[in-house]
Amino acid sequence: MANIEKNNSAFVAYTSRDRFLADLISEGVAKANRKLHNLRYEPWEFNDIAGNPLISPVVDAIDESRFIVADVTYLNPNVVYEIGFSIGRSRRCFLVQHTGTEGDKKIARDVGIFDTLGFEPYETADELANTLTAYVDPAPLPFSAQLDRRAPVYVVEPTTKGGIATVMTSRLKKARYKYRSFNPAEDARLSAFDAIRQVASSAGVMVSLLDGLREESIIHNTRSLFVAGLSYGMGKPTLLLAHATADVPLDVRDSVRTFTRPDDIVTHIAGFSLEVTEHLQQADPTPLCHPTSLQSLQIGDPTAENEMTTLANYFLNTDQYTRALRGEVNLVVGRKGAGKTALFIQMRDKTRSDKRNVVVDLKPEGYQLLKLKEDILAHLTQGANHHLVTAFWEYLILLEITYKLLEKDRVLHKFNHEIRDLYIDLERTYRVKDFSVEGDFSERLLSLSQRIAQDYVCRFGGTDSTKLTTGQVTELVYSHDVRSLRDQVSAYLAHKGGVWVLFDNLDKGWSTQGVDTVDAMVLRCLIDAGRKIERDMRKCGHAVHCIVFVRNDVYEHLMRQSSDYGKEMRVALDWTDPDMLRELLRLRLVSALGPVYENMTFEQIWPRLCVSHYKGEETSSYVIERALMRPRNVIKIFSHAKGFAANLNHQKIEESDLEKGVRAYSQDLLVELDHELNDVFPIARELLYHFLDSQPEVSPLELRQIISEATISPEDTDRVIDFLLYYGIVGVRASPDEVYYIFNVNYDLKVLQIRAARGGENTRYVMNSAFRPALGIKSCD
């Protein structure tokens, strides 16, 4: 050790949970050290020094290392944190994984971080020693980003939201900090490169640890610890929250902030906000000395919520957007990743640009209505349910319009004699006893639904098939004199322009057991309430528009439950033209590359950033073909491939980078679609994994055999096949040169059903190329 200079050592991190594996790693490290003369591997036990702060020896070892080696066969929480910390400290992190041990490989696939970083497999101590004695590039992963001052905080959200998660995000809003987030409802897996980029551009990072050993908790905690490691390594203000009863890993035990009640979180975020403010006052980080064009290229985020401050720079104005902006629709329908939230954000910002307009943008989530659903709706008759929920939504919309008017003119009314008295009267009517006006919309919705549920239980108990009179509904729902409130809002709107009430996210957080009739009823009542308010206000001469953004499978469920919902004015965000996706990507590239590229076509820009062909196929077509015609997926594939290219200092995306990027995206898609199928079709749980190692094309009999292996009953098989077709997972081969997927037939499932029926047993079902890398399916094309 005395002859080993600083930075001629490499820290080795691994779990001691599996004694056999720990001994194998120790043996492999010892063999590697005997072969090397200018580098020494130091296993983590050497840094476990009694009397030191828990993390201190690890920090010192990482700082003094040329690079870090970490075994990810098991996702030990401390090792996960150390991987993130090492990358944040600008140390190369070289990952290895034992092929003969299952360990936490399934968890790793769902988490998403480690396969996007890449790892080397080994089976024996000798193989590990050979890997460690081969050349390891010590160059750190590149990260250098300007602070995002408009949305300076990054949050890792838990899969299942509840009161605590609501407090976390709402208090950030109260601190007037916009935030970007990883939301598992939007992205099934977290890319390491995206996490690095997000943390690097943040002035503060907020993560939480969940208690318990459920798989969902382990997945969330793994992501949180990796991001926390990145943040601490980069020296960012970091708030790591955990319940006082949670089992906290040793490496973060000294820095975690515990809570037992919501007020504790409020206190922690208050201190965190001051740290963020101080960090924002510092200079931006020093940029890379000689970044490649790819390393400095930022084309936006696949998740629209994280692009609120930049989306206008590259938003593609589609016909659907124009129609919605003209107020011609009350529903915007689309698949996940089709751009509903992007359209929502752009509509909100465009209508807000006219200061006369009143824009109420609401993003409720299903869990906020859970109390209402469990304590009331399960016990009422169908008619009483519809009456109660419609009244609930109408009341809520009216309250939120009032809240927005009061918020918008809090200062203005003092200097405008036309609205001064109207404002004072409206505020007096709005602020009533036992009605909370604090917090953001999520908190107000949660508080209102819980108050109604508690009042119902007090009055009616848990009796089933309860009928409610109009008077009982009024007493239960309203805390205000609604007639006076409505009249005062109407009088106030005479001094305003149009009113836009935009609803997004209602279908997020709905039961993993699928969309049920109660969920559909809640959505139907929201649409009814919105139309009623539109009609009432328009009678008084006010232009009011209520638009709901919803997944298309939820909309179709709604259609099946109602005989007249085909009459709803709606636009569908269905992408069928590959050139539209190229234009979407071109706009993002132009925004990132600068005005010199503004008048260039996609065909002129693309070859400067990406190799023109992959195994003879034009690369933009190769990407779009695997994107299921969803804008988010195009951005994901490009971002993954760019990340691998930037990691290796390539000047443009090469064939190998594109192949790695598609493989990482394929794993993302597999996890995401498996969850999405489970949400809307619970009996298909983990169905996609039964296609592992299958042929790229199968006959109807072979497809049914695969489905039966997933323990799906024969009577449900046809419905499952329809879902595989509907989601673009499989297509139907019509000729040797032509395969039809759902997006090739204008999303008309009936076309695919008839084509498959015509072929009979000669029909060939083709697995979409997007899923083949993750499922180990060899392409035949």
Side-chain angles (χ1 to χ4, degrees):
M1 280 294 292
N3 296 325
I4 301 296
E5 298 178 3
K6 185 177 180 180
N7 287 333
N8 277 353
S9 62
F11 179 64
V12 185
Y14 55 93
T15 182
S16 58
R17 189 166 98 200
D18 184 330
R19 196 65 255 172
F20 166 79
L21 184 61
D23 291 343
L24 188 151
I25 294 171
S26 294
E27 182 183 350
V29 167
K31 289 184 175 181
N33 282 336
R34 286 196 290 270
K35 295 180 182 180
L36 295 169
H37 302 289
N38 61 345
L39 176 70
R40 181 175 182 82
Y41 289 101
E42 294 190 13
W44 70 270
E45 289 101 329
F46 294 174
N47 298 286
D48 189 11
I49 303 171
N52 276 1
L54 294 177
I55 191 63
S56 178
V58 174
V59 170
D60 292 343
I62 289 173
D63 281 341
E64 294 174 2
S65 294
R66 185 187 302 178
F67 57 87
I68 314 301
V69 176
D71 182 89
V72 292
T73 310
Y74 293 95
L75 297 182
N76 174 271
N78 294 301
V79 173
V80 169
Y81 173 84
E82 289 157 14
I83 292 170
F85 186 85
S86 302
I87 295 171
R89 274 290 208 263
S90 293
R91 293 293 184 272
R92 167 70 71 173
C93 203
F94 184 70
L95 306 184
V96 296
Q97 186 183 80
H98 188 244
T99 56
T101 303
E102 178 59 27
D104 293 329
K105 292 174 184 175
K106 181 182 183 302
I107 297 290
R109 286 194 296 269
D110 288 343
V111 168
I113 293 167
F114 306 99
D115 56 352
T116 56
L117 283 173
F119 52 80
E120 287 292 325
Y122 68 94
E123 188 168 356
T124 64
D126 287 333
E127 285 185 11
L128 178 59
N130 291 337
T131 296
L132 297 180
T133 52
Y135 176 70
V136 177
D137 184 359
L141 294 177
F143 60 85
S144 179
Q146 298 295 310
L147 290 180
D148 187 337
R149 296 182 179 275
R150 289 179 288 185
V153 178
Y154 181 57
V155 180
V156 177
E157 298 186 35
T159 303
T160 302
K161 287 194 175 183
I164 297 301
T166 300
V167 171
M168 287 170 58
T169 53
S170 67
R171 296 313 298 184
L172 274 181
K173 294 175 186 175
K174 290 285 283 184
R176 300 197 67 183
Y177 280 132
K178 292 183 178 179
Y179 65 90
R180 295 159 284 114
S181 69
F182 171 76
N183 185 344
E186 293 292 334
D187 293 294
R189 304 195 325 142
L190 176 61
S191 159
F193 298 113
D194 184 59
I196 294 167
R197 176 178 64 84
Q198 296 283 12
V199 174
S201 62
S202 296
V205 172
M206 185 165 69
V207 296
S208 61
L209 297 179
L210 301 178
D211 204 357
L213 297 176
R214 292 182 305 156
E215 184 174 296
E216 181 182 285
S217 299
I218 295 171
I219 290 170
H220 170 73
N221 291 349
T222 301
R223 292 173 181 147
S224 290
L225 287 167
F226 176 76
V227 169
L230 286 173
S231 187
Y232 282 116
M234 294 184 198
K236 306 284 185 176
T238 308
L239 179 58
L240 176 56
L241 291 166
H243 194 273
T245 60
D247 185 14
V248 177
L250 288 174
D251 279 0
V252 297
R253 196 163 289 174
D254 292 340
S255 52
V256 72
R257 295 291 177 266
T258 61
F259 63 87
T260 56
R261 53 198 179 92
D263 285 350
D264 297 334
I265 296 177
V266 172
T267 301
H268 293 320
I269 292 179
F272 172 67
S273 300
L274 295 175
E275 294 179 38
V276 172
T277 301
E278 183 178 347
H279 194 85
L280 282 170
Q281 293 171 350
Q282 302 173 6
D284 280 316
T286 304
L288 288 172
C289 295
H290 302 288
T292 67
S293 58
L294 287 178
Q295 288 171 348
S296 57
L297 182 68
Q298 301 292 341
I299 67 163
D301 196 283
T303 304
E305 287 91 343
N306 292 338
E307 299 187 298
M308 290 186 183
T309 60
T310 58
L311 184 62
N313 298 334
Y314 39 73
F315 182 76
L316 178 61
N317 291 335
T318 59
D319 179 63
Q320 292 94 329
Y321 167 72
T322 303
R323 287 186 59 199
L325 196 60
R326 290 199 297 257
E328 296 177 1
V329 303
N330 50 26
L331 275 171
V332 175
V333 178
R335 296 168 184 244
K336 286 182 68 174
K340 296 189 302 299
T341 300
L343 195 152
F344 173 94
I345 293 169
Q346 190 65 8
M347 268 200 69
R348 179 197 63 188
D349 293 348
K350 182 68 174 177
T351 50
R352 269 183 186 168
S353 64
D354 185 342
K355 299 302 181 184
R356 298 170 302 171
N357 287 337
V358 179
V359 182
V360 184
D361 56 314
L362 305 175
K363 299 172 79 70
E365 296 190 21
Y367 78 90
Q368 293 156 356
L369 301 173
L370 190 60
K371 191 77 173 170
L372 197 70
K373 183 177 175 180
E374 290 179 346
D375 290 356
I376 302 180
L377 303 184
H379 303 296
L380 294 179
T381 63
Q382 184 174 350
N385 263 337
H386 194 283
H387 188 191
L388 175 71
V389 177
T390 303
F392 170 83
W393 284 125
E394 185 181 355
Y395 178 50
L396 185 71
I397 293 170
L398 185 62
L399 289 176
E400 290 303 313
I401 293 174
T402 306
Y403 180 88
K404 184 61 68 173
L405 288 170
L406 296 175
E407 179 188 54
K408 187 180 178 71
D409 292 345
R410 181 174 291 117
V411 176
L412 180 64
H413 83 277
K414 299 175 183 178
F415 309 100
N416 187 331
H417 70 276
E418 291 184 341
I419 63 171
R420 183 179 181 278
D421 291 341
L422 291 171
Y423 185 97
I424 293 171
D425 290 343
L426 183 61
E427 185 177 38
R428 185 182 300 118
T429 304
Y430 179 68
R431 296 182 183 277
V432 297
K433 185 180 178 182
D434 298 329
F435 175 73
S436 173
V437 298
E438 299 302 321
D440 67 352
F441 170 69
S442 297
E443 288 181 294
R444 293 194 297 275
L445 173 59
L446 191 61
S447 175
L448 178 60
S449 63
Q450 288 178 341
R451 192 267 297 166
I452 294 173
Q454 289 166 3
D455 287 354
Y456 175 86
V457 172
C458 289
R459 295 186 188 193
F460 304 102
T463 307
D464 288 340
S465 301
T466 304
K467 297 181 180 180
L468 297 179
T469 65
T470 301
Q472 288 173 323
V473 169
T474 300
E475 291 177 5
L476 195 60
V477 174
Y478 302 148
S479 296
H480 297 78
D481 181 343
V482 173
R483 179 173 296 179
S484 295
L485 188 63
R486 187 184 294 113
D487 291 343
Q488 289 177 359
V489 167
S490 178
Y492 204 102
L493 290 179
H495 300 275
K496 297 295 180 182
V499 177
W500 296 82
V501 182
L502 309 177
F503 272 92
D504 190 20
N505 272 17
L506 181 62
D507 48 17
K508 287 184 183 175
W510 275 359
S511 169
T512 56
Q513 297 306 307
V515 181
D516 59 27
T517 54
V518 176
D519 292 327
M521 183 271 297
V522 168
L523 176 59
R524 184 168 65 249
C525 292
L526 170 59
I527 297 168
D528 288 344
R531 286 190 302 186
K532 185 175 185 304
I533 286 180
E534 287 180 352
R535 289 194 303 267
D536 291 345
M537 289 297 178
R538 285 173 184 171
K539 288 177 184 177
C540 300
H542 309 308
V544 177
H545 309 277
C546 292
I547 303 177
V548 180
F549 295 71
V550 68
R551 292 198 322 249
N552 58 346
D553 58 278
V554 176
Y555 170 76
E556 290 174 12
H557 187 89
L558 186 69
M559 292 257 307
R560 289 193 294 272
Q561 300 294 319
S562 308
S563 58
D564 62 344
Y565 264 77
K567 299 176 183 178
E568 289 295 338
M569 297 300 296
R570 68 180 181 98
V571 290
L573 296 179
D574 290 334
W575 298 74
T576 57
D577 184 356
D579 286 336
M580 288 288 287
L581 292 174
R582 289 188 178 90
E583 177 60 12
L584 178 144
L585 187 54
R586 186 192 75 85
L587 291 173
R588 289 173 176 265
L589 294 173
V590 167
S591 177
L593 294 169
V596 69
Y597 290 84
E598 190 170 350
N599 295 319
M600 288 188 181
T601 65
F602 179 85
E603 287 73 20
Q604 291 172 314
I605 298 174
W606 183 251
R608 301 183 182 210
L609 300 172
C610 183
V611 64
S612 63
H613 290 78
Y614 175 80
K615 295 184 178 179
E617 184 177 355
E618 195 275 325
T619 46
S620 71
S621 298
Y622 178 82
V623 168
I624 290 171
E625 182 182 322
R626 286 155 178 76
L628 306 184
M629 293 302 290
R630 302 191 193 187
R632 180 187 298 172
N633 292 349
V634 173
I635 300 167
K636 274 188 174 182
I637 296 174
F638 182 83
S639 297
H640 275 310
K642 181 187 78 73
F644 284 109
N647 186 20
L648 296 173
N649 294 314
H650 292 165
Q651 296 300 312
K652 64 165 62 176
I653 296 171
E654 299 179 1
E655 283 195 23
S656 59
D657 303 319
L658 193 59
E659 186 173 310
K660 292 174 186 174
V662 167
R663 188 180 300 119
Y665 156 76
S666 180
Q667 190 64 53
D668 288 351
L669 194 63
L670 177 63
V671 174
E672 180 181 316
L673 261 293
D674 185 65
H675 290 171
E676 193 169 337
L677 276 170
N678 184 49
D679 281 346
V680 298
F681 201 51
I683 66 169
R685 182 175 178 81
E686 297 187 348
L687 166 67
L688 299 184
Y689 289 94
H690 289 270
F691 285 88
L692 282 166
D693 303 321
S694 67
Q695 294 299 311
E697 295 188 17
V698 294
S699 68
L701 183 61
E702 290 168 330
L703 180 60
R704 290 175 181 275
Q705 178 61 34
I706 292 171
I707 293 171
S708 70
E709 291 173 1
T711 65
I712 293 172
S713 61
E715 56 267 26
D716 289 320
T717 299
D718 287 339
R719 292 171 59 212
V720 171
I721 293 173
D722 286 346
F723 266 84
L724 293 173
L725 292 169
Y726 181 79
Y727 279 87
I729 297 165
V730 300
V732 177
R733 182 173 290 285
S735 69
D737 300 322
E738 195 165 22
V739 178
Y740 288 99
Y741 293 99
I742 191 72
F743 38 79
N744 301 130
V745 296
N746 204 31
Y747 297 91
D748 188 345
L749 178 61
K750 185 62 67 177
V751 173
L752 296 181
Q753 290 172 329
I754 291 176
R755 286 190 177 279
R758 281 180 179 173
E761 288 305 310
N762 294 321
T763 295
R764 306 297 290 179
Y765 290 100
V766 183
M767 174 62 67
N768 193 305
S769 300
F771 296 90
R772 295 180 189 179
L775 292 171
I777 298 174
K778 302 296 183 183
S779 294
C780 58
D781 45 19

